[in-house]
Amino acid sequence: MKQVRIKSPGTVANLVCGFDILGMALNEPYDIMEVKLLDEPKVIIHNRDNYNLPTEPEKNVAGVVFLSVMEKVGGTVGFEVTIEKHIKPGSGIGSSAASAAGAAVAANHLLGNIFSSDEVVQFAMNGEKLASGVKHADNIAPCILGGVTLIRSIHPLDIIHLASPDLFVTVVHPQIEVRTSDARQILRQQVLLKDAIKQWGNIAGLVTGFMKNDLDLIGRSLEDVIIEPIRSILIPGFHEVKTNCKEAGALGGGISGSGPSIFMLSKEEKTAKAIESVMKDVYNKIGIDYNTYVTTINKKGVEIL
Ligand code: ADP
């Protein structure tokens, strides 16, 4: 029987000034998936975790991806998947993208890698559409390719894989719910020209910083004058976390995805760990439960084990 076991990483989308266009893969947390190729056209889903995610293929992002692959290849193939999820759904660290990207990569592997990398991203995007209502690739692309990715365009798909520096990433996930739909709805549809100029200067600076491995330029460019001032309202403690983390030596950071997780980049592991303590102090004081991760940028993306 053909089967594959994969590791699918968490991701940070909406990389500060790179709303909807820049994403980055993490070495932790990650999901494990085992996928079997079936010789009949059906999808079977087993969840090996406590998140109570749906097992009906049409309601699970992995299922939707398998169905879209089956529609494309036709014939009598199907897939059985066991998902061991460690990335909490709704955390803002790409839980749905890990399942969608993992399913797309595993299906392609089992079918003999008949699809291009762009096609694999397209299949995975069908899953993201189920989770958030819109097709977007800023979690999917880094999840599949690893490192930092720029989604220059969705129609047509144009993904640029950027060099990623050896930075440390500290993430805090306060255990509150921020609905992706709410986080989108509160955004203003228009921006001031002066803010747009600032934002595109920062995006260009951030991309250049990644490509030239210029860590101070990355730090200076981690500024978002359009989305963060609005979205941060939904995350208690956000400003305190950001200010205190920067004082503790973080290069910078911001909201991960549409929140509630917050991430910070650092040059050194000891700074990343000090930042974790700073984040814990803020949420201990406010009285909100949390999870934290101290990790690095994942350069491999979805991995076949
Ligand atoms: P995140 O940014 O952490 O991925 P999302 O809001 O994008 O959070 O996705 C989580 C939503 O997707 C939840 O409503 C969840 O029920 C749904 N979902 C369906 N299938 C899956 C899956 N396999 N993994 C994670 N979330 C899933």
Side-chain angles (χ1 to χ4, degrees):
M1 189 189 301
K2 273 181 115 177
Q3 62 179 38
V4 67
R5 188 176 154 86
I6 59 142
K7 186 170 158 180
S8 196
T11 43
V12 172
N14 296 336
L15 217 54
V16 191
C17 48
F19 179 69
D20 263 0
I21 59 162
L22 283 172
M24 161 181 93
L26 302 174
N27 275 314
E28 278 199 42
Y30 56 83
D31 290 351
I32 298 284
M33 296 167 78
E34 275 171 12
V35 186
K36 285 182 199 159
L37 189 65
L38 304 176
D39 56 10
E40 46 183 329
K42 62 178 182 184
V43 173
I44 305 169
I45 300 174
H46 310 280
N47 293 316
R48 218 191 278 152
D49 50 57
N50 297 321
Y51 295 126
N52 262 327
L53 289 168
T55 50
E56 301 96 309
E58 300 79 13
K59 293 187 185 162
N60 189 302
V61 297
V64 169
V65 173
F66 289 132
L67 291 171
S68 69
V69 172
M70 286 157 61
E71 197 183 316
K72 182 86 177 178
V73 294
T76 55
V77 296
F79 299 94
E80 180 170 358
V81 60
T82 304
I83 305 173
E84 195 184 298
K85 186 159 280 296
H86 300 282
I87 312 166
K88 195 169 176 185
S91 55
I93 24 187
S95 179
S96 53
S99 288
V105 172
N108 192 32
H109 177 84
L110 291 171
L111 294 170
N113 290 316
I114 53 175
F115 298 113
S116 68
S117 151
D118 273 7
E119 284 171 309
V120 173
V121 170
Q122 295 278 11
F123 286 127
M125 276 166 54
N126 293 325
E128 279 294 64
K129 182 151 193 252
L130 174 78
S132 64
V134 282
K135 276 196 178 183
H136 63 101
D138 49 341
N139 287 106
I140 293 288
C143 188
I144 291 176
L145 302 171
V148 182
T149 57
L150 166 67
I151 322 302
R152 196 200 62 82
S153 155
I154 290 280
H155 305 293
L157 198 58
D158 189 2
I159 295 169
I160 297 103
H161 193 215
L162 302 176
S164 42
D166 294 318
L167 289 172
F168 290 86
V169 191
T170 315
V171 180
V172 62
H173 173 207
Q175 308 286 303
I176 52 159
E177 195 189 346
V178 171
R179 285 209 239 136
T180 310
S181 53
D182 292 345
R184 269 216 178 245
Q185 225 165 26
I186 61 166
L187 297 178
R188 293 200 194 102
Q189 290 305 310
Q190 275 157 357
V191 295
L192 293 173
L193 183 60
K194 73 172 177 52
D195 290 340
I197 292 168
K198 201 147 208 213
Q199 197 87 346
W200 59 56
N202 280 324
I203 296 164
L206 189 54
V207 170
T208 309
F210 285 130
M211 298 192 68
K212 292 173 84 169
N213 201 23
D214 183 336
L215 305 187
D216 293 319
L217 176 58
I218 292 174
R220 292 200 299 283
S221 307
L222 286 169
E223 179 192 35
D224 171 8
V225 296
I226 294 177
I227 307 296
E228 184 183 288
I230 301 189
R231 278 207 170 161
S232 56
I233 297 164
L234 301 174
I235 306 173
F238 178 82
H239 293 290
E240 213 176 333
V241 166
K242 199 172 153 187
T243 309
N244 296 0
C245 287
K246 281 197 164 179
E247 272 168 19
L251 281 175
I255 303 169
S256 178
S258 52
S261 290
I262 305 168
F263 80 99
M264 288 287 151
L265 296 177
S266 318
K267 291 184 198 173
E268 289 178 26
E269 189 174 14
K270 71 171 192 312
T271 316
K273 286 188 171 154
I275 283 164
E276 182 188 29
S277 304
V278 164
M279 291 168 163
K280 287 180 173 179
D281 287 347
V282 171
Y283 286 107
N284 284 336
K285 208 172 79 192
I286 300 177
I288 292 177
D289 286 343
Y290 52 81
N291 281 331
T292 52
Y293 303 94
V294 177
T295 185
T296 44
I297 300 177
N298 171 322
K299 302 194 179 187
K300 293 184 181 161
V302 175
E303 226 179 304
I304 312 259
L305 299 173

